[in-house]
Amino acid sequence: MNQQQQNKIDAAVLNVFSTCKVRSLPFSCQELLSFYGYSCIPYNSLSPEKQLACTTISDDAFCLNHTVYYNSNTAPFRIRFSLMHELGHICLRHTSVSGKSQSPEQEANAFASLILAPRMVIHYSGCRTAEDLSRVFQMTFEASGYALNDYYRWYDHILRDKMSPLDKAMYLHFYDSEKKRFVWNRTICPDCQSELINHSSCRCPECARIEKEQKALDARMIASQYSYRDWETWLPEGFERAEYRYLYGDMY
Ligand SMILES: [Zn+2]
Ligand SMILES: [Zn+2]
């Protein structure tokens, strides 16, 4: 990918963010496509004949008459990438003729990777492993590994050449003048309804702690039920049993 292509993709991603007012990641891929007038239809909602025809065209997704058809039998994170790959073709104005060469496919993949996890957002998220990236940006491990490598390439360029005008525009898009910081994620805690900023888990720390404690308690309850049953199955008979009763009372 040459610098000209890279700039074109960076500009296209930024344009989608400002047009669709994307201020929090991860976002709904289907909502973005509907903003551009495209509806999404899963293969499995079609007749068996049509499903077969779809899988012959693509294992993942394809675009036809303002509709993106996608294979719903694949992993949800892979579907997100496929939908953004199709948005890439739309925003980069790839025609069906240009679609036959390799370059538009590479560009659409680069667009999908960048829009799902912009390198500057990766930087501010603090994610530095493919596992973290996958969880926070809802991408497959494979896509996360690629995005992470590309993040380091981007970071080297920032250190060496400083921010480009496109980098500055990306920074300004996510800069919250009220909070005086780069804000890439805004959510509401489902339990206490408090506002969460730049948070990589779905609950606030306090509700996450309560949930963790509840889960640990549940796990102990389940474990104690099982161990009680295990205890009964290996319990010795006769004398040993009497000895156990003497030692441990009416425990069993
Ligand atoms: Zn494609
Ligand atoms: Zn909460």
Side-chain angles (χ1 to χ4, degrees):
M1 183 105 21
N2 62 38
Q3 194 56 48
Q4 200 189 346
Q5 281 175 302
Q6 187 66 55
N7 288 348
K8 180 173 79 171
I9 292 160
D10 287 351
V13 167
L14 191 60
N15 188 42
V16 173
F17 284 165
S18 61
T19 308
C20 305
K21 298 186 171 55
V22 174
R23 306 230 174 258
S24 182
L25 276 83
F27 48 77
S28 155
C29 294
Q30 303 212 4
E31 266 176 35
L32 278 201
L33 278 159
S34 82
F35 199 94
Y36 286 87
Y38 287 78
S39 50
C40 298
I41 293 182
Y43 291 178
N44 68 3
S45 69
L46 304 167
S47 68
E49 296 78 32
K50 281 185 178 168
Q51 282 187 47
L52 191 65
C54 286
T55 44
T56 332
I57 298 171
S58 169
D59 276 338
D60 290 305
F62 64 94
C63 199
L64 187 71
N65 299 331
H66 276 76
T67 304
V68 174
Y69 296 89
Y70 66 94
N71 188 351
S72 41
N73 291 328
T74 56
F77 289 0
R78 182 167 163 166
I79 293 174
R80 286 175 61 78
F81 192 93
S82 302
L83 295 181
M84 290 302 92
H85 174 102
E86 294 309 316
L87 183 67
H89 283 314
I90 296 161
C91 293
L92 298 166
R93 302 190 200 293
H94 293 152
T95 61
S96 53
V97 180
S98 69
K100 294 215 166 56
S101 75
Q102 185 122 53
S103 171
E105 290 312 307
Q106 278 179 355
E107 286 184 4
N109 281 339
F111 175 94
S113 173
L114 204 62
I115 199 165
L116 289 170
R119 308 317 180 224
M120 190 177 284
V121 176
I122 294 178
H123 183 76
Y124 283 98
S125 74
C127 292
R128 296 296 179 266
T129 65
E131 285 80 7
D132 282 349
L133 232 72
S134 171
R135 178 178 54 82
V136 171
F137 296 98
Q138 302 185 355
M139 294 196 295
T140 62
F141 278 114
E142 195 190 351
S144 301
Y146 173 83
L148 192 63
N149 278 337
D150 195 53
Y151 158 73
Y152 287 117
R153 176 201 61 79
W154 172 85
Y155 190 61
D156 275 353
H157 133 77
I158 291 283
L159 291 182
R160 211 177 39 242
D161 313 321
K162 304 266 167 35
M163 284 211 267
S164 69
L166 278 167
D167 289 320
K168 282 181 188 157
M170 179 69 96
Y171 183 83
L172 285 175
H173 176 79
F174 284 100
Y175 184 79
D176 187 316
S177 49
E178 212 174 281
K179 302 207 160 39
K180 294 193 171 44
R181 61 199 275 211
F182 186 94
V183 175
W184 58 274
N185 171 269
R186 298 159 200 269
T187 33
I188 301 287
C189 173
D191 295 345
C192 70
Q193 314 302 317
S194 64
E195 190 194 21
L196 302 174
I197 294 290
N198 293 354
H199 219 264
S200 54
S201 69
C202 64
R203 288 181 166 75
C204 74
E206 179 58 13
C207 293
R209 187 187 60 78
I210 294 169
E211 203 210 8
K212 199 174 160 195
E213 281 177 9
Q214 188 58 50
K215 274 191 179 157
L217 189 67
D218 290 350
R220 275 208 296 278
M221 297 291 276
I222 291 165
S224 70
Q225 280 172 16
Y226 279 114
S227 63
Y228 184 67
R229 254 181 249 134
D230 290 349
W231 175 256
E232 277 186 323
T233 55
W234 63 259
L235 206 62
E237 292 297 328
F239 173 77
E240 277 182 20
R241 189 173 182 120
E243 190 183 48
Y244 268 78
R245 188 165 286 135
Y246 168 74
L247 286 171
Y248 304 114
D250 288 320
M251 249 177 75
Y252 55 90

